[in-house]
Amino acid sequence: MGCVEVRECHVGEKVDISQSALDGILPLNGLRHPKENDTTGWYIWGGEQLSEDEDYFKPLHTAHLELKCTLALKFLSLPPGWRFLTDGTYEDVWFDANLFVTI
């Protein structure tokens, strides 16, 4: 991942994750907003489409990802503003400045 500043996620912190990601639907997508309270800022979902449903993401402690969504683990140290897409073989990682824009 080149020269990217690492931002650790701690066991007590949470990601927001969709049921589709927990069900193993690919590709797996993730984006990281700035950290807030006990969240890492990560939003992770599975599939081609990101839902607008307000209940789409559920909080999950990072410690549970090892059993529930292992594909996401290697990307969690990316800092806010970064995104990833993977199907387990193909990987794409990129910076998205729009993740710092508040609406």
Side-chain angles (χ1 to χ4, degrees), residues 53-97:
D53 183 2
E54 65 183 48
D55 295 329
Y56 188 63
F57 291 103
K58 306 285 188 220
L60 182 74
H61 283 103
T62 57
H64 298 293
L65 287 174
E66 190 170 342
L67 295 174
K68 298 189 179 270
C69 190
T70 57
L71 276 179
L73 291 174
K74 71 186 289 180
F75 302 103
L76 293 184
S77 62
L78 289 168
W82 286 82
R83 300 176 71 122
F84 72 85
L85 171 74
T86 186
D87 65 5
T89 302
Y90 171 83
E91 295 179 352
D92 193 4
V93 177
W94 68 98
F95 181 76
D96 182 352

Side-chain angles (χ1 to χ4, degrees), residues 17-25 28 44-47 56 68-69:
I17 192 165
S18 71
Q19 187 61 48
S20 59
L22 295 173
D23 291 341
I25 296 174
L28 185 66
I44 302 168
W45 70 97
Y56 188 63
K68 298 189 179 270
C69 190

Side-chain angles (χ1 to χ4, degrees), residues 9-61:
C9 293
H10 302 286
V11 174
E13 293 179 319
K14 298 173 193 153
V15 298
D16 286 300
I17 192 165
S18 71
Q19 187 61 48
S20 59
L22 295 173
D23 291 341
I25 296 174
L26 297 175
L28 185 66
N29 300 270
L31 59 83
R32 191 172 191 182
H33 288 286
K35 182 179 172 175
E36 191 173 308
N37 300 321
D38 66 345
T39 68
T40 61
W42 276 111
Y43 288 82
I44 302 168
W45 70 97
E48 299 286 335
Q49 298 294 322
L50 176 61
S51 174
E52 297 287 330
D53 183 2
E54 65 183 48
D55 295 329
Y56 188 63
F57 291 103
K58 306 285 188 220
L60 182 74
H61 283 103

